[in-house]
Amino acid sequence: MGSFMKYDAIVIGCGLAGAVSARELAERGGKKVLLLERRDHIGGNAYDCFDDAGVLIHKYGPHIFHTNNERVYNYLCRFTEFSDYMHTVTANIHGEFVPVPFNFNSIEKVYGDRAEALKAKLLEKYPEGTKIPIFELTQQDDPELIELANYVFSNVFAHYTEKQWGVPIGEVSRETLSRVPVFLSYDNRYFQDKFQGMPKISYTSMFERMLDHENIEVRTGVDAAELISFGDDILFEGKPFSGTVIFSGALDELFSYEFGRLPYRTLDFGFETHACDGFQPNATVNYTVDQPYTRITEFKKLTGQQIDGVTTIMKEFSRASGEGDTPYYAILNEENLALYAQYAKKAEKYKNFYPLGRLAEYRYYNMDAIVARALELSDGLIENK
Ligand code: UDP
């Protein structure tokens, strides 16, 4: 593999966390950066590519960029233009497509003649535009609102959440469930952020441009876990490396599961190509009352790609992540966070080592939050150089 000495920084993992920090250290920090990626492509889970039918797909599940953070938006705009795509999701409830987050349009669809009275009751209690977490809605004292809450709880949340997390809904963190509130509005968009959209060409081309810098060397198909070890210092191929190491993989794996496995959920993806123009009414349909999969995404509706007579969809199946699986979601509860803290403590001993991102920090980050974290970490590293 050759000497690592000539690099000022080694970044491990080429998703958003790794790519943004590599670019920042290389460009703003003037550092020589080596970026190592285990997979044979860049982009991490945001990687997209064309399938055999010529449809642009998100290989590791749908990624929809949205943010209120102007710095993050402007930063990514250096590397891609964004379309004005606004994400919408529906729940397939026994064949009816009901907008999610559950909103006034959903109430009309489900309750017909009773909708006006229900909306009025909600508006007596909350101003229009309020986002109410489902567990707050279930704690109303009005019988009709309790009925509504129970409907949403059972038909939108309970089954989907149990499929997604593999435990009864009561064991899933409130923070996770609050990501999808009940929304007192006719706005069907899944996100209300100021900036949202899809890269006009692709995520992968955004990453290509981000990594196209004279101070960055990217090596894909290289498993850093086989090169790195931890003694008194961080070692690469047995030799101490005193430069910056940014790591965006799973910490438990990096430290050989020393304190035990960190629980994650993994996903199996079922891709299907159909000989028709369109498969479903909107880009993502959640299966909230039946089916073994959680949701179906139809990529053309996400990316806006114009291609006739063919469409590719993807079913997502969630299960516990075991040996050899790709971890996607940290399972946030007290016990797991305590286990993570042991790994984090070990990592802290190495002053030039920075865990960054959804896996390494064992967090439920959205794309924009990871970019923000990578920019902030880079700010600190560049200022203190
Ligand atoms: N959720 C649900 N029904 C839905 C959508 C979401 O029960 O139709 C719950 C579920 O527990 C899910 C969580 O809300 O894991 C967060 O949903 P989000 O869409 O943010 O998940 P992601 O897109 O990150 O997988």
Side-chain angles (χ1 to χ4, degrees):
M1 168 104 322
S3 167
F4 292 94
M5 298 302 174
K6 64 179 179 188
Y7 302 103
D8 302 307
I10 298 177
V11 177
I12 299 168
C14 192
L16 274 173
V20 169
S21 34
R23 176 75 188 210
E24 283 297 274
L25 295 186
E27 186 175 47
R28 209 150 50 93
K31 292 177 192 283
K32 293 261 176 239
V33 180
L34 174 64
L35 202 163
L36 300 176
E37 167 57 51
R38 171 191 276 173
R39 289 176 175 157
D40 63 3
H41 60 74
I42 60 172
N45 289 345
Y47 173 73
D48 51 13
C49 59
F50 289 94
D51 67 7
D52 291 343
V55 178
L56 182 63
I57 58 166
H58 292 186
K59 200 167 169 199
Y60 305 97
H63 282 67
I64 298 105
F65 178 71
H66 59 98
T67 191
N68 283 316
N69 184 323
E70 204 144 346
R71 181 181 185 197
V72 166
Y73 180 69
N74 289 337
Y75 188 76
L76 294 183
C77 284
R78 292 183 53 201
F79 309 108
T80 183
E81 280 182 70
F82 283 99
S83 72
D84 56 6
Y85 174 72
M86 298 284 157
H87 192 47
T88 57
V89 175
T90 54
N92 183 325
I93 304 180
H94 306 298
E96 276 272 18
F97 295 98
V98 178
V100 172
F102 202 87
N103 63 19
F104 284 167
N105 297 316
S106 319
I107 293 180
E108 288 182 359
K109 202 144 202 182
V110 170
Y111 284 95
D113 291 348
R114 289 180 60 203
E116 283 309 313
L118 281 168
K119 286 185 289 177
K121 279 207 164 168
L122 286 165
L123 290 175
E124 265 171 38
K125 295 209 161 182
Y126 301 95
E128 185 154 357
T130 306
K131 293 181 171 174
I132 312 171
I134 182 62
F135 45 83
E136 182 180 328
L137 197 66
T138 54
Q139 275 149 25
Q140 303 295 316
D141 43 23
D142 180 288
E144 278 188 290
L145 292 186
I146 294 173
E147 186 196 322
L148 172 71
N150 287 341
Y151 178 88
V152 179
F153 186 85
S154 339
N155 289 284
V156 179
F157 284 92
H159 187 56
Y160 185 99
T161 297
E162 286 175 27
K163 281 191 282 187
Q164 174 68 16
W165 298 102
V167 291
I169 188 166
E171 290 174 35
V172 173
S173 79
R174 288 190 163 204
E175 198 188 332
T176 298
L177 296 176
S178 302
R179 290 169 60 90
V180 185
V182 171
F183 188 23
L184 305 194
S185 168
Y186 293 95
D187 181 352
N188 277 346
R189 294 174 306 162
Y190 202 61
F191 309 110
Q192 278 67 45
D193 291 359
K194 188 165 163 197
F195 307 106
Q196 50 182 309
M198 298 297 293
K200 274 201 178 154
I201 299 174
S202 65
Y203 281 114
T204 301
S205 66
M206 176 184 87
F207 279 94
E208 279 164 1
R209 287 181 65 179
M210 199 181 286
L211 297 169
D212 181 15
H213 190 278
E214 56 187 5
N215 284 343
I216 303 178
E217 184 182 330
V218 180
R219 292 190 207 164
T220 54
V222 176
D223 190 353
E226 289 169 9
L227 304 172
I228 195 171
S229 55
F230 294 85
D232 289 338
D233 300 302
I234 300 181
L235 310 168
F236 276 88
E237 287 189 322
K239 299 204 183 71
F241 180 78
S242 58
T244 300
V245 179
I246 295 178
F247 177 74
S248 65
L251 274 192
D252 60 341
E253 186 199 346
L254 185 74
F255 292 133
S256 310
Y257 306 105
E258 185 178 331
F259 308 113
R261 267 185 179 274
L262 276 169
Y264 287 94
R265 298 292 285 176
T266 190
L267 297 170
D268 295 320
F269 300 117
F271 288 92
E272 294 171 17
T273 296
H274 294 265
C276 56
D277 284 333
F279 179 84
Q280 60 188 25
N282 55 286
T284 298
V285 175
N286 290 352
Y287 283 77
T288 57
V289 291
D290 51 23
Q291 305 300 346
Y293 42 85
T294 53
R295 57 188 177 188
I296 297 183
T297 295
E298 181 177 5
F299 293 106
K300 273 165 65 172
K301 293 204 163 69
L302 263 192
T303 60
Q305 185 187 5
Q306 299 295 326
I307 174 170
D308 293 335
V310 67
T311 193
T312 298
I313 62 158
M314 187 191 70
K315 296 173 175 166
E316 282 176 62
F317 301 83
S318 171
R319 62 178 170 80
S321 182
E323 209 180 322
D325 292 326
T326 306
Y328 284 96
Y329 294 88
I331 303 176
L332 299 175
N333 61 36
E334 227 171 279
E335 190 186 344
N336 299 349
L337 290 173
L339 178 57
Y340 174 75
Q342 288 182 272
Y343 285 108
K345 200 168 159 207
K346 173 154 179 160
E348 271 168 28
K349 282 194 211 143
Y350 299 93
K351 297 299 169 206
N352 56 337
F353 182 77
Y354 301 91
L356 179 72
R358 216 182 223 232
L359 290 180
E361 294 181 70
Y362 205 66
R363 293 275 304 270
Y364 198 159
Y365 278 132
N366 287 334
M367 299 173 81
D368 64 327
I370 299 174
V371 176
R373 281 275 303 130
L375 291 173
E376 281 156 21
L377 175 66
S378 306
D379 289 343
L381 291 171
I382 292 163
E383 276 156 27
N384 296 331
K385 74 176 170 186

